[in-house]
C-alpha cells in the first residue's frame, strides 16, 4: 500500500462529467435537493425586511443547473409573496471554472422547469470560481443554497493507495482527510459570513456520515475499487496510475458540520437555526425494485457513478497519458462497474446520509 505519495493537485478536477452528462445522471442528487426545499422556503420566509431589497440568491456549486431549478423556483416564489412584482430578484449560480457552464445556461434557457419561465423580474448570473474563495461583495447575499457540494474538498490531502474513497481508507489517511475537511468547512463558512447580509440565511444540504464516518455508498465504492483492481490484474491499468486515483471527498458527521457554528465561531455571528439528518432514498434502486430490470438498473447506477467521479478519478492519469488513452480506460472501467452491478445489484444500493442545515447571519 502506498501512503506517502505526493498528493495530486487537482484544480478543476472536482467538476462533474461535462456535456450535460451530470444533468442526465444526477437523480439521487436531485432527490437530496428536494429534501432541502422546505428548509430553503423557511429561510426565505425568515429574512428580515432589509434583506428583501435588491434580493440576491446564490446557488453555491450548481453544476449544470438542472437540480437547482426546483429549489430556486421555491425560493423565488416564497420571496415573491413578500415583495412586489417590480422588485428584481437575482440568482447567481457558482461552480469551479471548469464546470460545464454552457449546459447550465442552456438548462436555464430551455428546461421546461426553469425558474426563468413565467416569473417576471428574475435575473440569472454565474460565477466560475471556487467556493473556498470570496465570490461576491460583502453583505450582498440575502439567501444562500448549497446542495451536495461541500463534501468536495479543496485538494486531496493524501492518496489512498489501495482505495479510492476516503470512508474506506485507513485511520491515518482518514485523519488527514478530516483535517482538510474541517479547514475547508471553516473557509467556506467564513466567506459566506462576509457575503451574507445581516439577517441573511444559508441552507446547506450536506452529504454526511454516520458516527463511524460512513457515507452510505461504501458498497458501490468497494465495487468500483474492485473493478479498478481487476484492470490492474489484467494488465490494462498501471499500478502506479491506480494508486493515484482518489475521490477528493470527505463525508462529515453532523457534529463535524455543526461544531464551528455551534461552538466558537467569532462573535456568535452565525446562528444554527435548524439541523436535521436523514438517509436519502435511492431513486435508482426504487425504480429497480418496481421494474425488476437488472440491466437498466446496472446502467443507471454505473452512469450515476461516472457522472460524479470520472473527472476526479481520471485526472491524475490525464497528466501522463493521451486523452484518447484516458478515455478508453474510463470507458473500460465504467463498463466493468456496470457488469459487476448487474451481477451484484444489492451492493450498489446507496443510502447516502444527509445533514441539512439552516444557518443565519445575525442581524
Ligand atoms: C454533486 S455536484 C452537485 C451539484 C448540484 N448542486 C446538485 O444538487 O446537483 C457537486 C458540485 O460541486 C462543485 N464543486 C466542487 N468543489 C467546488 C468548489 N471548490 N467550488 C465550487 N464548486 C465546487 C462541483 O463542480 C459540482 O458541480
Amino acid at each position: 500500500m502506498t501512503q506517502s505519495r505526493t498528493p495530486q493537485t487537482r484544480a478543476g478536477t472536482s467538476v462533474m462529467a461535462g456535456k450535460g452528462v451530470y444533468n442526465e445522471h444526477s437523480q439521487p442528487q436531485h432527490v437530496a435537493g428536494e429534501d432541502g426545499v422546505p428548509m430553503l422556503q423557511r429561510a426565505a420566509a425568515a429574512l428580515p425586511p432589509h434583506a428583501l431589497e435588491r434580493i440576491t440568491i446564490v446557488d453555491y456549486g450548481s453544476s449544470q443547473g438542472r437540480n437547482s431549478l426546483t429549489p430556486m423556483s421555491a425560493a423565488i416564489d416564497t420571496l415573491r409573496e413578500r415583495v412586489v412584482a417590480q422588485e428584481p430578484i437575482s440568482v447567481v449560480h457558482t461552480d469551479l471554472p471548469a464546470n460545464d457552464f454552457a449546459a447550465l445556461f442552456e438548462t436555464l434557457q430551455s428546461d421546461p422547469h426553469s425558474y426563468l419561465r413565467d416569473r417576471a423580474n428574475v435575473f440569472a448570473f454565474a460565477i466560475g470560481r471556487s467556493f473556498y474563495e470570496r465570490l461576491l461583495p460583502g453583505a450582498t447575499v440575502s439567501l444562500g443554497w448549497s446542495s451536495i457540494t461541500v463534501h468536495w474538498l479543496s485538494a486531496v490531502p493524501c492518496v489512498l493507495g489501495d482505495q479510492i474513497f476516503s470512508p474506506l481508507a485507513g485511520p491515518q489517511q482518514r485523519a488527514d482527510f478530516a483535517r482538510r475537511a474541517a479547514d475547508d468547512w471553516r473557509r467556506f463558512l467564513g466567506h459566506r459570513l462576509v457575503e451574507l447580509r445581516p439577517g441573511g440565511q444559508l441552507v446547506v444540504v450536506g452529504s454526511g456520515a454516520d458516527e463511524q464516518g460512513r457515507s452510505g455508498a461504501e458498497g458501490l465504492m468497494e465495487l468500483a475499487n474492485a473493478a479498478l483492481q481487476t484492470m490492474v490484474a489484467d494488465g490494462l491499468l498501471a499500478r502506479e496510475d491506480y494508486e493515484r486515483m482518489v475521490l477528493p471527498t470527505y463525508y462529515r458527521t453532523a457534529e463535524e458540520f455543526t461544531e464551528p457554528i455551534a461552538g466558537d465561531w467569532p462573535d456568535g455571528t452565525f446562528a444554527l437555526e435548524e439541523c436535521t439528518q436523514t438517509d436519502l432514498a435511492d431513486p435508482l434502486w426504487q425504480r429497480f425494485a418496481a421494474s425488476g430490470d437488472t440491466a437498466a438498473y446496472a446502467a443507471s447506477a454505473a452512469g450515476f457513478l461516472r457522472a460524479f467521479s470520472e473527472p476526479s478519478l481520471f485526472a491524475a492519469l490525464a497528466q501522463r497519458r493521451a486523452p484518447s488513452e484516458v478515455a478508453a480506460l474510463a470507458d473500460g472501467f465504467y463498463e466493468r462497474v456496470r457488469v459487476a452491478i448487474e451481477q451484484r445489484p444489492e451492493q450498489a444500493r446507496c443510502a447516502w446520509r444527509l445533514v441539512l442545515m439552516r444557518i443565519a447571519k445575525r442581524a
Side-chain angles (χ1 to χ4, degrees):
M1 189 159 84
T2 308
Q3 294 199 3
S4 58
R5 282 184 191 278
T6 309
Q8 68 196 74
T9 54
R10 39 146 295 278
T13 59
S14 293
V15 293
M16 306 294 102
K19 302 201 176 101
V21 167
Y22 177 79
N23 263 351
E24 296 303 321
H25 294 278
S26 55
Q27 211 195 344
Q29 294 91 332
H30 179 81
V31 176
E34 287 199 326
D35 282 357
V37 166
M39 204 178 256
L40 185 63
Q41 290 170 312
R42 288 194 289 279
L47 291 179
H50 64 260
L52 296 175
E53 292 159 14
R54 297 179 309 283
I55 295 168
T56 297
I57 308 170
V58 183
D59 172 25
Y60 295 99
S62 61
S63 192
Q64 295 151 20
R66 184 172 291 167
N67 292 342
S68 303
L69 301 179
T70 303
M72 293 303 105
S73 299
I76 293 164
D77 291 347
T78 305
L79 290 167
R80 234 350 136 213
E81 289 172 12
R82 303 187 61 199
V83 299
V84 294
Q86 292 76 21
E87 184 70 40
I89 298 179
S90 299
V91 179
V92 182
H93 301 277
T94 86
D95 210 289
L96 290 166
N99 181 54
D100 184 354
F101 282 104
L104 168 75
F105 289 120
E106 181 58 32
T107 299
L108 296 179
Q109 179 70 24
S110 309
D111 193 292
H113 302 293
S114 172
Y115 60 80
L116 292 177
R117 296 202 165 196
D118 306 324
R119 288 180 182 82
N121 260 332
V122 177
F123 302 89
F125 302 84
I127 298 174
R129 189 174 167 91
S130 169
F131 54 42
Y132 295 121
E133 299 175 48
R134 267 288 298 288
L135 298 175
L136 289 122
T140 56
V141 176
S142 297
L143 202 54
W145 164 259
S146 197
S147 185
I148 311 297
T149 59
V150 292
H151 57 296
W152 291 93
L153 302 179
S154 60
V156 177
C158 60
V159 292
L160 304 176
D162 59 359
Q163 289 291 348
I164 55 172
F165 193 51
S166 69
L168 297 168
Q172 182 58 51
Q173 296 159 327
R174 279 191 49 73
D176 288 349
F177 271 70
R179 258 192 306 278
R180 166 72 66 179
D183 285 355
D184 281 351
W185 181 226
R186 279 187 170 270
R187 203 139 45 106
F188 178 90
L189 288 173
H191 291 311
R192 304 304 78 87
L193 182 63
V194 177
E195 291 165 359
L196 279 173
R197 290 173 156 181
Q201 302 230 348
L202 171 68
V203 172
V204 176
V205 178
S207 198
D210 64 14
E211 284 172 4
Q212 285 71 48
R214 297 176 72 83
S215 68
E218 281 69 26
L220 175 64
M221 299 312 295
E222 298 221 43
L223 185 146
N225 190 39
L228 284 173
Q229 290 178 344
T230 64
M231 290 178 73
V232 175
D234 292 348
L236 297 172
L237 178 65
R239 169 154 287 279
E240 71 171 357
D241 280 338
Y242 163 64
E243 288 176 348
R244 289 168 189 272
M245 297 173 88
V246 56
L247 282 179
T249 57
Y250 179 83
Y251 303 85
R252 299 175 183 85
T253 63
E255 203 184 339
E256 287 172 316
F257 267 121
T258 57
E259 185 274 331
I261 311 158
D264 60 350
W265 196 268
D267 314 329
T269 35
F270 264 154
L272 182 61
E273 302 288 350
E274 293 182 60
C275 179
T276 60
Q277 294 182 68
T278 181
D279 282 357
L280 182 65
D282 182 342
L284 308 182
W285 183 266
Q286 286 174 336
R287 212 182 308 142
F288 172 49
S291 71
D293 186 339
T294 313
Y297 172 66
S300 66
F304 160 68
L305 176 76
R306 184 169 193 164
F308 77 81
S309 67
E310 181 177 354
S312 313
L313 284 182
F314 287 86
L317 278 62
Q319 292 163 8
R320 292 148 37 89
R321 305 199 178 275
S324 58
E325 198 184 345
V326 178
L329 283 168
D331 285 347
F333 165 55
Y334 291 103
E335 174 57 13
R336 282 182 189 227
V337 169
R338 189 194 65 72
V339 170
I341 296 173
E342 205 163 22
Q343 289 163 352
R344 297 187 299 283
E346 179 71 40
Q347 198 180 333
R349 183 178 185 176
C350 296
W352 294 97
R353 308 217 154 81
L354 298 183
V355 180
L356 299 98
M357 289 154 284
R358 179 161 72 88
I359 303 163
K361 177 172 171 175
R362 289 188 203 279

